[in-house]
Amino acid sequence: MKTLDASSPCPCGRVAAKSLSYGDCCGRWLEDATQTAQPPDAQSLMRSRYSAFVLHLFQVLDGLRKQGTTIVLITHKLKEVMRLCDEVTVMRAGRVVQSLPVSQASVEGLAEAMVGRKVNIGRSHGPSSPPGQVLLQARNLLVRDALQVTRLRGLNLRLHAGEIVGIAGVSGNGQSELLDVLSGLLEPASGQLELGGRTFEAGAWLDPGTARELGLAHVPEDRQARALVMNFKWEPARSRSRCTFPLPRTITLRAT
């Protein structure tokens, strides 16, 4: 018997995979394979490159299955399950709650089994609610990068209460810069922003602290680069005694 650990790299990212062989039997485990295959730099890698990798990965898995390889795919992406798998098992809170052939499954049913309640996927086709008051408005935003390449030119945006505004486009066409400008992480060359009854202009732009005070929440598009401190190590307390001194309400971390 021998065990082989293998990792399959690609230009777009990584695939977490392990190969196990025992005699004439071979199996492969993939854990959230396409989740780690995200472009590391959304401004320099086109979405088509990522899509081509995912398509190639699916073709490889189909080929392995035809060769008799057993594949266990661990993922929360239900469309991948419906596309690739023959059998599906759903776990919730550490227990198996559903197991059935994919031919008898549906995206809606799997989602309901995953969360334990009815899930509304998509939006209803009923009448839309009238827009509420304007909560955020951006006017004539102009953003240039470090190479003086224009990323946003004359952009205007208005967001009402109770409204969802979608920004669509291929990666590298200004979406990241727009998110940074609206959340106070990037100051534009010119333009104006109205938020929470206040007006901000280039030279006196919104900062992240003020954005939070005004009720603006920012969910980063790249959670590893923006939402996590990947190199931070939190050493657990060695003593089991309770802390007897007051803890600060704010902790500032500085990169070294």
Side-chain angles (χ1 to χ4, degrees), residues 115-134:
V115 300
R117 58 176 173 79
K118 185 71 174 179
V119 177
N120 295 322
I121 299 179
R123 76 179 279 179
S124 62
H125 297 284
S128 300
S129 302
Q133 63 177 333
V134 177

Side-chain angles (χ1 to χ4, degrees), residues 187-202:
E187 182 174 337
S190 63
Q192 188 180 80
L193 176 67
E194 294 181 6
L195 174 67
R198 297 180 58 179
T199 301
F200 303 91
E201 297 183 354

Side-chain angles (χ1 to χ4, degrees), residues 129-136 158-166:
S129 302
Q133 63 177 333
V134 177
L135 298 181
L136 180 149
R158 179 181 296 175
L159 180 63
H160 296 82
E163 182 180 48
I164 299 176
V165 175

Side-chain angles (χ1 to χ4, degrees), residues 92 97 107-121:
R92 186 175 72 248
V97 296
V107 171
E108 293 78 9
L110 293 176
E112 184 174 347
M114 288 173 62
V115 300
R117 58 176 173 79
K118 185 71 174 179
V119 177
N120 295 322
I121 299 179

Side-chain angles (χ1 to χ4, degrees), residues 57-212:
L57 174 63
F58 289 176
Q59 292 172 344
V60 170
L61 294 179
D62 283 334
L64 290 172
R65 174 169 53 186
K66 293 177 181 178
Q67 295 174 13
T69 302
T70 299
I71 302 172
V72 178
L73 175 65
I74 303 174
T75 183
H76 63 279
K77 298 181 179 180
L78 300 182
K79 291 183 179 180
E80 292 181 2
V81 172
M82 302 299 294
R83 161 67 175 81
L84 292 171
C85 300
D86 301 299
E87 302 278 339
V88 56
T89 297
V90 179
M91 295 184 64
R92 186 175 72 248
R95 297 177 180 272
V96 173
V97 296
Q98 189 178 71
S99 184
L100 72 165
V102 167
S103 59
Q104 301 176 13
S106 66
V107 171
E108 293 78 9
L110 293 176
E112 184 174 347
M114 288 173 62
V115 300
R117 58 176 173 79
K118 185 71 174 179
V119 177
N120 295 322
I121 299 179
R123 76 179 279 179
S124 62
H125 297 284
S128 300
S129 302
Q133 63 177 333
V134 177
L135 298 181
L136 180 149
Q137 182 165 341
R139 296 188 180 92
N140 299 319
L141 294 180
L142 174 64
V143 173
R144 297 188 180 95
D145 62 16
L147 300 177
Q148 296 303 306
V149 176
T150 300
R151 295 298 183 180
L152 298 176
R153 179 187 291 112
L155 187 140
N156 297 281
L157 179 68
R158 179 181 296 175
L159 180 63
H160 296 82
E163 182 180 48
I164 299 176
V165 175
I167 308 297
V170 177
S171 297
N173 282 271
Q175 299 95 315
S176 299
E177 289 80 5
L178 175 60
L179 179 62
D180 287 350
V181 167
L182 296 181
S183 58
L185 295 173
L186 177 66
E187 182 174 337
S190 63
Q192 188 180 80
L193 176 67
E194 294 181 6
L195 174 67
R198 297 180 58 179
T199 301
F200 303 91
E201 297 183 354
W205 197 250
L206 174 74
D207 61 78
T210 303
R212 288 193 296 269

